[in-house]
Amino acid sequence: SDGWYERFALPFSADDTGYGHSRKEVAAVKDLGEELLTGYHEAVHDTTVQYLAGIDDKDLKRVVDRSWTPPVTMGVRLVSVIADGLQHAGQAAYVRGLLGY
């Protein structure tokens, strides 16, 4: 949204999330620039904070995915999103350490 797909100008369709990309596809993502990446991060952060501010206890109990047993509620999905983010932060910290930073 907000023109980010066009600004990134990646060689993928707008609905491509990157999940399951091959090494070749990953290698096609390059030269994005600090300004673009930090701008995107700030936009995602602002949108996330705004979204979370509107959630109440009733929302957290709402089923958002029935393909699991038991069905997944919004509260459980939010915890899994946070856990995924923490895992990626740990991976980035590990790589940073390997590079000597």
Side-chain angles (χ1 to χ4, degrees):
S1 65
D2 298 329
W4 286 105
Y5 173 74
E6 292 77 16
R7 284 182 246 180
F8 273 89
L10 296 172
F12 310 114
S13 67
D15 61 348
D16 188 338
T17 64
Y19 186 78
H21 274 190
S22 67
R23 288 181 181 208
K24 183 178 179 180
E25 290 167 318
V26 171
V29 180
K30 57 185 174 187
D31 302 324
L32 297 178
E34 181 180 338
E35 189 174 311
L36 178 67
L37 292 173
T38 56
Y40 181 69
H41 176 269
E42 290 171 7
V44 170
H45 177 265
D46 293 346
T47 301
T48 302
V49 168
Q50 183 179 7
Y51 177 79
L52 293 175
I55 292 176
D56 60 23
D57 289 346
K58 185 175 111 182
D59 294 320
L60 294 175
K61 295 175 184 173
R62 183 169 51 89
V63 172
V64 296
D65 189 346
R66 297 188 184 282
S67 65
W68 295 90
T69 303
V72 178
T73 63
M74 181 185 284
V76 170
R77 181 56 48 86
L78 287 173
V79 168
S80 68
V81 169
I82 292 167
D84 189 58
L86 290 171
Q87 289 175 0
H88 287 303
Q91 292 165 339
Y94 177 73
V95 169
R96 185 176 181 181
L98 290 175
L99 295 174
Y101 291 104

